Amino acid sequence: MDLWIDGQHHLTKSVEPGATFLFDLRSNPVSEIHAPFDNIRFYISQASLDELAFDQGIPRTKGLILSGQGAYDRVMYGLANALVDQVEHASERSALFIDHIALAFYAHVIKAYGNGTVPDAPVAGGLSPWQLRRVLDFITTHLGGDPTIAELARECALSPGYFARAFRRTTGITPHQWLVRKRVERAKALLLGGRAGLADIAATCGFVDQSHFTRVFTKLEGDSPGRWRQMHR
C-alpha cells in the first residue's frame, strides 16, 4: 500500500490483520491499495476528544500522535471484531452496543495516541438512586425501542461517557446488557402467561424477529424459548 500525507509519499509494508493507521484528515491522506482486504474506519472529532477529557478530569488533548502507521494494535483489532456481528446482522443492530464500542474506541485512542496524560484508572462515581431509578424506568418503558447511550445519559443529566461508566459501576453490567436481560425477563413472563406465538413475543419484547429472539434467549437461558416454555409450564 502506498500513502500520501500532505503530498509526501510513504511506502508501507504489507498490511497484516490488526494493523492500525491514524490520519489527521487535515493532512489530506490518500492511499493506493494494491490488494483487497477488509477494513473498518473510525472517525473521531476534536470535540469528542475534548468531551472525553472533560469526563475523565484530564487536560484537553490537542490532537493525536500519528506515529507507527500500520503497527499492530490489539485493542483496536478487538473493537473492530466486536462490530462484525453487528455488520453481519444489520437488521439487529443495537444502538447501545455500538455506542459502547464507540466509547471504548475514544478512550483507547486518547490514551494510546493522545498527546496528553491520562490516568490509568479514571475515577468515576456511580449513579445516584434517583438517576438509577429514572434510567431503569426509561429502559423498561422502551424495551421495544433502540435507545442510545446519549438518550439514557440525558435522563440522568450526564454526559454519555460519564453515564456509561457510572451505570456499570452501579449495576455491574452495561446498559445494553441490562436492556437485553429485561427483554428476556419480559419474554419469559409472556411464555408462561399465555399462548402467544414466539414471533409475537419477539416483537413485543423488542427483538427484531423470532430468529433474533431465539438466539439471544438461548444464549442467556441455555434453552430455546419453545423448549423453555415446555419445561417450565
Side-chain angles (χ1 to χ4, degrees):
M1 180 172 69
D2 289 283
L3 292 174
W4 286 266
I5 302 176
D6 282 328
Q8 296 184 357
H9 178 252
H10 300 263
L11 181 63
T12 67
K13 59 183 180 180
S14 60
V15 178
E16 301 295 332
T20 299
F21 295 83
L22 279 83
F23 301 110
D24 185 332
L25 295 184
R26 294 172 299 183
S27 65
N28 190 33
V30 177
S31 63
E32 182 177 338
I33 301 172
H34 305 297
F37 63 89
D38 295 323
N39 69 90
I40 293 182
R41 298 182 181 182
F42 296 93
Y43 295 88
I44 184 168
S45 66
Q46 183 64 53
S48 297
L49 293 173
D50 292 345
E51 182 177 354
L52 181 63
F54 179 79
D55 284 347
Q56 297 191 351
I58 62 177
R60 177 178 180 268
T61 182
K62 299 178 181 179
L64 302 175
I65 301 173
L66 309 179
S67 60
Q69 298 288 26
Y72 176 76
D73 187 317
R74 180 173 57 87
V75 175
M76 292 290 280
Y77 188 45
L79 293 175
N81 276 292
L83 290 173
V84 169
D85 186 64
Q86 298 286 307
V87 173
E88 293 179 344
H89 301 90
S91 63
E92 300 175 9
R93 288 176 183 166
S94 165
L96 281 179
F97 181 80
I98 294 174
D99 283 349
H100 276 291
I101 295 296
L103 289 171
F105 161 71
Y106 291 154
H108 173 66
V109 166
I110 198 172
K111 182 174 181 178
Y113 303 104
N115 59 6
T117 301
V118 182
D120 290 333
V123 178
L127 298 176
S128 67
W130 76 264
Q131 288 173 322
L132 181 62
R133 182 173 61 253
R134 184 161 180 170
V135 74
L136 294 186
D137 287 346
F138 183 89
I139 294 176
T140 302
T141 303
H142 296 82
L143 284 183
D146 190 21
T148 65
I149 288 289
E151 289 174 333
L152 300 183
R154 280 198 296 270
E155 292 296 309
C156 300
L158 299 171
S159 70
Y162 187 93
F163 165 77
R165 295 192 302 275
F167 186 96
R168 184 159 193 165
R169 177 176 286 259
T170 302
T171 65
I173 59 176
T174 67
H176 174 254
Q177 291 170 323
W178 201 91
L179 173 65
V180 170
R181 292 183 186 184
K182 292 300 292 184
R183 284 175 173 168
V184 170
E185 284 181 18
R186 177 175 289 185
K188 289 164 68 175
L190 293 174
L191 287 169
L192 295 177
R195 292 184 169 274
L198 297 184
D200 291 335
I201 293 176
T204 299
C205 297
F207 297 100
V208 174
D209 52 29
Q210 183 176 332
S211 175
H212 181 214
F213 169 42
T214 299
R215 184 164 58 255
V216 173
F217 189 98
T218 302
K219 182 178 180 180
L220 289 182
E221 297 298 324
D223 281 307
S224 67
R227 178 174 171 77
W228 187 93
R229 172 185 258 171
Q230 292 176 351
M231 293 176 59
H232 291 82
R233 270 189 164 179

